[in-house]
Amino acid sequence: MSSHAPHGQSPLRTVQVLGGGNAGSSAHVRSLAAGLVARGVRVTVCAPAESDHLHDFTGAGADHVPVPRSSDPASVAALRAACTDADLVHAHGLHASFRAVLALSGRRTPLVVTWHNRAHAEGARAHLLRLLERRVARAAAVVLGTTSDLVDRARRTGARDARLAAVGLPHPRGSEEDPERPRAKVRAELGATGRPLLMAVDSLDRFRGHDVLLDAARVWGRLDPVPLVAVAGEGPLRAELQHRIEDEELPVRLLGRRDDVSELLAAADLALLPGAGESRSVLAQAALHARVPLVAALTGGVRELVGDAAEFVPPGDAEAFADAVVRLLAAPEHRERLREAGTRQAATWPSEDDTVAQVLSVYDELTRPLPMI
């Protein structure tokens, strides 16, 4: 794929706009930035300062401009300044995309938007989100959706051009297995020696299904031995969830933000995805790659991603979620079938190179000089 600049004057310069709230989209931008830089594209990532500490965009060869996750005038002005002389701007997620629309107001710079997940809200805020979706979809030159549902939603909302995105799972940096920290040692560190280990990885916020997970954990607490539920992730609900875990004496540990998720998953007996908030779940991808059976709330995006390589339950049904886990723990043959199905399904997913190739082809379409007539 080419990385031409308009009129051949200099390397293509792109600005990637990120809100910093979703670990999956942040990891995707890091991977995308590395691939674009390797192909001669100049990349600037506009994201909150803490995002660069977590994902090391500068280590991928990109410039990082700290821009707060806010749509206030000062943040929009900072983003507008960072987009000066950009050949193309690529925003990730609804809120980052809306800030990019504001920052590019009055300019002819092409805007590409990737929707990684559907935004969720209730009440008056749900109406506001629909307005934001419409504004972004109509302003973008191309909307890339990570699932067919998101592509359809973009088209219904008024997108001129909506396409299915090829989003490869970034290889976790530093994820090579530590020979001094084998599976048994990881389980011992978590307190899961001699008992099943159930692993969930997600931000601790609304619509991630943590209420379902804790409701189900009450059922698992009656098993012998009692499974340990370990949750890697951080977020605004941590105090509320921790209070409930202690008050109800649930067999759940909140691990906080971890940089060894691949090792934690590899040590688990099952991976759990109780929420309906993610369309292209990083946990689901990582679990299948690690050959860990997955129990997930049934949503169109997750079903499209993993096919039949998971045990699905209705969203929000804690009883069904608990029962599915109990059945799987008692059925080693079924767990092995899910592992084999997961390996086959993961082989069909796009690679990181596929992702970069598709994005570059979109960039070329939007920045290629028009022929002289």
Side-chain angles (χ1 to χ4, degrees):
M1 292 294 174
S2 71
S3 57
H4 73 272
H7 312 298
Q9 295 175 353
S10 61
L12 184 73
R13 177 172 181 256
T14 72
V15 173
Q16 307 289 321
V17 184
L18 185 64
N22 181 281
S25 58
S26 298
H28 167 67
V29 170
R30 205 275 181 189
S31 171
L32 181 60
L36 292 173
V37 168
R39 290 159 177 80
V41 178
R42 293 174 56 203
V43 178
T44 298
V45 177
C46 293
E50 61 271 18
S51 292
D52 192 45
H53 298 319
L54 290 172
H55 299 282
D56 193 21
F57 302 120
T58 53
D63 295 322
H64 174 244
V65 176
V67 176
R69 191 187 182 198
S70 170
S71 297
D72 64 75
S75 298
V76 173
L79 181 56
R80 184 175 178 85
C83 293
T84 301
D85 299 327
D87 298 308
L88 181 141
V89 174
H90 189 165
H92 301 263
L94 178 60
H95 294 286
S97 301
F98 179 65
R99 288 194 293 277
V101 170
L102 296 178
L104 294 176
S105 178
R107 293 182 179 174
R108 299 178 64 84
T109 309
L111 173 64
V112 176
V113 166
T114 296
W115 284 357
H116 295 266
N117 296 293
R118 179 180 173 181
H120 290 269
E122 297 173 338
R125 183 166 170 78
H127 177 66
L128 174 60
L129 283 177
R130 287 193 294 271
L131 294 177
L132 295 184
E133 284 182 333
R134 186 177 301 116
R135 177 78 180 273
V136 167
R138 293 179 177 180
V142 175
V143 177
L144 298 173
T146 59
T147 67
S148 299
D149 288 348
L150 289 173
V151 174
D152 292 341
R153 186 174 183 84
R155 289 171 178 159
R156 291 195 306 270
T157 310
R160 291 172 282 169
D161 187 340
R163 313 179 191 181
L164 186 64
V167 179
L169 175 67
H171 297 293
R173 291 175 290 123
S175 63
E176 293 80 5
E177 185 174 348
D178 182 353
E180 300 301 319
R181 196 166 176 256
R183 184 174 186 268
K185 188 172 183 180
V186 174
R187 294 173 69 94
E189 290 171 356
L190 294 176
T193 300
R195 60 194 296 200
L197 175 60
L198 315 178
M199 193 73 213
V201 183
D202 215 336
S203 55
L204 306 182
D205 53 26
R206 302 292 177 190
F207 307 107
R208 303 293 182 176
H210 299 299
D211 54 340
V212 172
L213 187 63
L214 297 193
D215 287 345
R218 283 204 301 263
V219 175
W220 304 328
R222 298 194 292 266
L223 300 179
D224 184 19
V226 176
L228 174 66
V229 183
V231 183
E234 195 55 84
L237 293 186
R238 183 184 179 97
E240 177 183 327
L241 295 172
Q242 186 63 49
H243 176 76
R244 184 178 168 191
I245 291 167
E246 294 173 359
D247 189 54
E248 300 179 27
E249 299 182 344
L250 300 175
V252 180
R253 284 191 59 186
L254 302 182
L255 305 180
R257 184 176 286 114
R258 301 287 293 242
D259 58 7
D260 59 347
V261 168
S262 59
E263 292 180 23
L264 296 176
L265 270 175
D269 296 287
L270 299 177
L272 310 179
L273 185 62
E278 285 202 70
S279 297
R280 193 172 183 89
S281 167
V282 173
L283 169 67
Q285 295 175 80
L288 267 61
H289 276 302
R291 290 178 55 83
V292 178
L294 174 68
V295 180
L298 178 57
T299 65
V302 174
R303 185 57 180 264
E304 181 178 327
L305 176 66
V306 306
D308 295 324
E311 188 77 11
F312 288 110
V313 299
D317 191 334
E319 182 178 354
F321 200 90
D323 290 346
V325 168
V326 172
R327 288 197 307 273
L328 269 181
L329 289 177
E333 300 86 358
H334 188 28
R335 295 201 302 273
E336 184 59 28
R337 286 196 294 271
L338 288 177
R339 292 188 188 98
E340 295 300 326
T343 298
R344 292 192 297 270
Q345 182 70 13
T348 70
W349 293 338
S351 66
E352 291 183 87
D353 284 343
D354 294 331
T355 301
V356 176
Q358 185 201 34
V359 167
L360 267 179
S361 69
V362 172
Y363 292 179
D364 281 351
E365 287 180 36
L366 298 178
T367 61
R368 185 180 297 118
L370 295 176
M372 299 294 290
I373 298 178

